[in-house]
Amino acid sequence: MGTYHPESNTLLRSDSILEYVLETTVYPRENECMRELRLLTEQHPWGFMGSSPDQMQFFSMLLKMIGTKDTLEVGVFTGYSLLATALALPDDGKVVGVDSNREWYELGRPLIDKAGVADKVDFREGDGIAVLDRMLLLPLAGDGLFDFAYVDADKQRYAAYHERVLRLVRVGGVVAYDNTLWGGSVAMPRDTPGSSELDRSVRDILLGFNAAVAADDRVEACLLPIADGVTLCRRVK
């Protein structure tokens, strides 16, 4: 049986493997502003909510491979992933970031400015579901406003986000959901030692969400064991 490590940033067998990945392919080419924001985020009391640098490197490459121009991010925190996206987009690209906490976003905004990509970032403060519902009222929403979307917000509402985000992303576009393996707990007994009541509750929610996505004929789904688990959905209809 696996061992649950809620405090870890990786599902790999050991942290040393993650360090090897970071030291070999991530840190040597890490943008200076990305490095500064990563270190700033790590010092935050809620720093564990920040996206992992290897995951952001993967997203950066993915965005370039699929020719992304317009993107959506639900759950911004300090803006680390927002900055990674903005840097990967072309000069006329745009990322719309949605979060209910502007104070956290403001921590990272100076580094977004410093990186020279502030013009690509459109931050919208508010409840994620409410903001998405307003977007769906826009005249062109039915045609898909975005090429890519990244959801890293409250897991209890992932199913609700899915129904909205999938309508906002064009056919052929990609949606990514973070933390879908939740420390590996989805593959372990519910009462695994070390898990809290919150962990067990989120585990149950994600088990249902992962099963629903796998059965959703509107998408092609792929569940990757990178960072804390990333589910990629390519909209096919």
Side-chain angles (χ1 to χ4, degrees):
M1 184 179 73
T3 303
Y4 180 52
H5 292 295
E7 76 290 346
S8 179
N9 257 344
T10 178
L11 293 168
L12 296 172
R13 185 182 298 272
S14 70
D15 287 342
S16 63
I17 299 177
L18 175 61
E19 285 304 313
Y20 172 78
V21 171
L22 296 176
E23 295 292 345
T24 303
T25 64
V26 180
Y27 292 158
R29 296 190 180 186
E30 187 176 33
N31 176 276
E32 178 60 26
C33 292
M34 283 289 292
R35 187 188 73 83
E36 290 184 41
L37 187 47
R38 172 173 58 82
L39 295 176
L40 182 151
T41 303
E42 289 174 358
Q43 297 305 311
H44 193 280
W46 294 87
F48 62 88
M49 296 198 310
S51 300
S52 66
D54 54 324
Q55 178 184 343
M56 289 302 98
Q57 183 190 55
F58 168 67
F59 277 7
S60 177
M61 182 176 291
L62 176 64
L63 293 176
K64 296 170 184 174
M65 289 172 64
I66 64 177
T68 302
K69 180 179 176 182
D70 297 300
T71 70
L72 170 67
E73 183 169 324
V74 184
V76 170
F77 192 34
T78 62
Y80 179 66
S81 55
L82 205 63
L83 175 57
T85 297
L87 288 168
L89 294 176
D91 291 342
D92 59 345
K94 181 75 70 175
V95 53
V96 175
V98 181
D99 203 297
S100 61
N101 193 318
R102 177 176 286 275
E103 181 181 348
W104 287 347
Y105 164 68
E106 291 293 339
L107 292 174
R109 192 172 72 160
L111 288 165
I112 293 175
D113 293 338
K114 181 180 178 181
V117 293
D119 60 318
K120 298 182 185 180
V121 177
D122 177 6
F123 177 79
R124 303 185 187 183
E125 182 180 9
D127 175 78
I129 297 295
V131 174
L132 295 180
D133 282 343
R134 287 196 293 272
M135 288 184 187
L136 286 168
L137 296 176
L138 297 173
L140 298 177
D143 298 325
L145 299 174
F146 303 101
D147 306 306
F148 178 85
Y150 175 42
V151 181
D152 184 15
D154 43 333
K155 317 311 171 194
Q156 293 85 347
R157 299 202 290 177
Y158 263 24
Y161 288 132
H162 184 65
E163 290 305 315
R164 291 160 173 81
V165 170
L166 203 58
R167 292 161 60 193
L168 289 167
V169 170
R170 63 172 173 80
V171 173
V174 175
V175 183
Y177 296 95
D178 203 12
N179 305 112
T180 49
L181 293 178
W182 201 250
S185 63
V186 293
M188 300 176 191
R190 194 174 191 275
D191 57 353
T192 296
S195 62
S196 66
E197 184 56 41
L198 173 62
D199 291 321
R200 291 189 287 273
S201 174
V202 175
R203 167 197 178 274
D204 293 345
I205 290 167
L206 290 175
L207 279 173
F209 176 75
N210 290 338
V213 168
D216 191 340
D217 66 359
R218 297 170 297 176
V219 301
E220 291 177 341
C222 180
L223 180 49
L224 302 173
I226 185 173
D228 194 29
V230 175
T231 296
L232 293 180
C233 298
R234 177 177 174 268
R235 183 182 172 188
V236 295
K237 64 180 181 180

